[in-house]
Amino acid sequence: MLALLLAGGEVLAQGLPAVTVQSGPGGSQTWTLSIQVLLLMTLLTLLPAALLMTTSFARIIIVLGLLRQAMGTGQTPSNQILVGLALFLTLFIMQPVFERSYQAGVQPYLDGKTQFVPALEAAAQPLRGFMLAQTRESDLLLFARLSKREPFDSGDDVPFTVLAAAFATSELKSAFQIGFLLFIPFVVIDLVVASVLMSMGMMMLSPMLISLPFKLMLFVMVDGWALVMGALAASFAAP
């Protein structure tokens, strides 16, 4: 996002007006935006989705959503709380990557030591390293084959489009694997409660209603939120 803002500032600094005013008949005026500003505004609307799909946010929010579903608590915690937790944990995990990107590309550009394109390439290297560390080789080969590209000699040769698609696929796979492991203890509790109710002849009583307090008690006793957050942070390989 910062790189695109810098690019927009550089374009405007080169003399391209952001807004032009044309005089019409009768003293009227027509205001128009330059195509560069329109393109920049369009890119800014797409940046949140692109940023979330190239960081650890996707894996974290999917795991938290599956955890809530496994516990059977409905909409508790709410979506806003889960998104907030995912954002803060994402910032915690991605902070070293962002710091290296800033020091490698953004700071030299702001100091006037390098041009925009070399600064952008230098700032993207830490993010590429993080994404490559989380991406499975099979996913890279799949999207390389789909894009009609030859096998790559190193990670630096992988185009960003191929890397982004493979990274998103690997993150989905990792998130569902973690979610499967989280489901197991709660499914066991549901099975035990359902078996007890069936043996007592209480077939009209919902097993989910009875098992919910036991699942909450188990989750609190083992300090589940701390365990889940710690396991999610540790699941990301260091670049």
Side-chain angles (χ1 to χ4, degrees):
M1 184 179 297
L2 181 59
L4 285 177
L5 290 176
L6 292 175
E10 183 178 359
V11 169
L12 295 179
Q14 291 176 353
L16 294 176
V19 181
T20 58
V21 183
Q22 296 178 352
S23 301
S28 61
Q29 291 181 338
T30 302
W31 298 70
T32 59
L33 291 174
S34 64
I35 188 64
Q36 291 84 3
V37 175
L38 291 177
L39 290 176
L40 180 62
M41 294 173 61
T42 302
L43 290 175
L44 287 177
T45 59
L46 300 176
L47 272 178
L51 184 63
L52 296 181
M53 291 305 296
T54 54
T55 61
S56 58
F57 179 83
R59 183 191 303 188
I60 297 171
I61 192 62
I62 291 174
V63 170
L64 293 180
L66 291 175
L67 174 62
R68 182 178 64 179
Q69 186 176 358
M71 294 176 63
T73 56
Q75 293 299 316
T76 305
S78 63
N79 292 331
Q80 291 84 354
I81 295 177
L82 293 185
V83 171
L85 287 174
L87 284 175
F88 278 111
L89 189 57
T90 299
L91 291 177
F92 177 78
I93 295 172
M94 300 298 298
Q95 181 180 358
V97 179
F98 292 153
E99 289 180 351
R100 290 197 297 270
S101 295
Y102 182 83
Q103 295 173 0
V106 179
Q107 187 64 53
Y109 178 79
L110 295 177
D111 295 339
K113 299 178 179 179
T114 182
Q115 299 297 320
F116 175 75
V117 174
L120 180 61
E121 293 177 351
Q125 288 304 316
L127 183 60
R128 285 178 58 92
F130 172 82
M131 295 171 65
L132 281 171
Q134 323 306 323
T135 304
R136 294 175 174 82
E137 184 178 356
S138 59
D139 294 328
L140 276 176
L141 294 177
L142 169 64
F143 285 99
R145 185 170 63 253
L146 293 177
S147 61
K148 311 298 183 184
R149 302 291 182 92
E150 296 295 331
F152 309 109
D153 297 331
S154 63
D156 296 334
D157 299 332
V158 180
F160 188 80
T161 54
V162 175
L163 177 59
F167 172 76
T169 304
S170 296
E171 287 296 284
L172 291 175
K173 187 181 300 183
S174 300
F176 278 96
Q177 289 176 346
I178 299 174
F180 169 76
L181 296 177
L182 290 176
F183 256 92
I184 293 177
F186 299 111
V187 171
V188 171
I189 294 177
D190 288 334
L191 290 175
V192 172
V193 172
S195 300
V196 172
L197 292 178
M198 288 290 291
S199 63
M200 297 176 63
M202 299 181 179
M203 293 179 293
M204 300 301 295
L205 189 60
S206 173
M208 298 294 295
L209 181 64
I210 304 301
S211 63
L212 180 58
F214 293 98
K215 291 190 286 188
L216 293 178
M217 181 180 64
L218 173 66
F219 195 71
V220 172
M221 287 180 59
V222 300
D223 198 7
W225 287 113
L227 289 176
V228 171
M229 292 299 179
L232 279 174
S235 66
F236 291 92

